[in-house]
Amino acid sequence: MTLELERTAVVELARSLGGTDFGLRQVCQGGDWLFLLVSFHGAESRLHCAVVAAGRDTLEVGATQVLGYIKHDNGGGTLHCTASGSRVSVGTEFTVHVLEHREGSFAASHAVDTEQSTEDGWFWGEDHLLHLDEMSAGGLVLTDLRDGHASVLELEAVDRYGVSPAAAFGATLAAGELIVVALPELTVLGRHPVGGSRDELLFHPTRPELFTIREDAMVRVDVAADGTRVTELRSVPTGRLEAFDLAGRKAFARTDHYRLPSTPLTVELWDADEDRLSVLPLPVDGRDWWVLPDDALAVAHRGPEPPGGVRLSFARLRD
């Protein structure tokens, strides 16, 4: 099995954003749209960040939203979108911004309080947002974006959290414990000690399952309405668990996360059917990559970006 290069293209940004010295921070895909979080120098060389919506196939820019600069030392900014591409969340210092995306344009709709670090805003379905606000709310907050109603699960020392794309539950790692919660009620379905050396949550795309690392083992957590069941697996990725493929048969991990620096950047692959690991080189000299819903990897290149835009390569698994 190899990762083969499909194409390399430049997303042209200067016409829509102005500015120079563009840099790519994050990528996600919703529906037919690819969303990018980019940094750039604007007028008077001031630093800015922006969210950009580009066609998945054409990479032509359809909408932009300029934001203040998001500092690298506070996480660099987070970016998530709904499955349809109707909403985007952007994590900045103290705030998660929610943008409505309609017909190639953005409109600010919500801004929810969070931490000084750039916390995630995870969408559950099209209308709910899960984020962390230990400072004022005291834990995880689930907001119904239709009416603004917010529910809170009081927690301290949260390391990581997320939601299942396939079922009505979410999970968090807090103080060395995995906590699985029902959505939208935020009631606890199960608690399991996992230790504190790694903080990974990987949700199966089609089944009510999640995966994490407990001490020296990878475990699968099966989630039902009346509780959870944990199964230990044989393989343990050395990299950080990032995403499943569309069918939930293979999981991708970042080998560079726990082994800095990594040259060249590689992708660790876990085969769920065979419980087997392999390491694949990227077909380009990449510095970052993201798994898209159609199973392609969007790869950001090392080195300077081309004038007026950012360069993206797309790679796909081949047997």
Side-chain angles (χ1 to χ4, degrees), residues 226-249:
D226 57 351
T228 57
R229 185 179 76 253
V230 177
T231 304
E232 190 168 302
L233 302 170
R234 183 179 68 251
S235 299
V236 185
T238 59
R240 185 187 183 96
L241 296 168
E242 289 290 333
F244 266 111
D245 66 3
L246 189 63
R249 295 174 182 167

Side-chain angles (χ1 to χ4, degrees), residues 151-153 168-170 179-190 225:
S151 303
V152 180
L153 176 64
F169 74 88
I179 304 170
V180 183
V181 298
L183 297 176
E185 301 88 353
L186 287 183
T187 55
V188 175
L189 294 173

Side-chain angles (χ1 to χ4, degrees), residues 30-47:
D32 296 328
W33 293 95
L34 205 63
F35 299 99
L36 316 177
L37 180 63
V38 299
S39 60
F40 65 101
H41 283 85
E44 300 177 354
S45 296
R46 293 183 61 185
L47 290 169

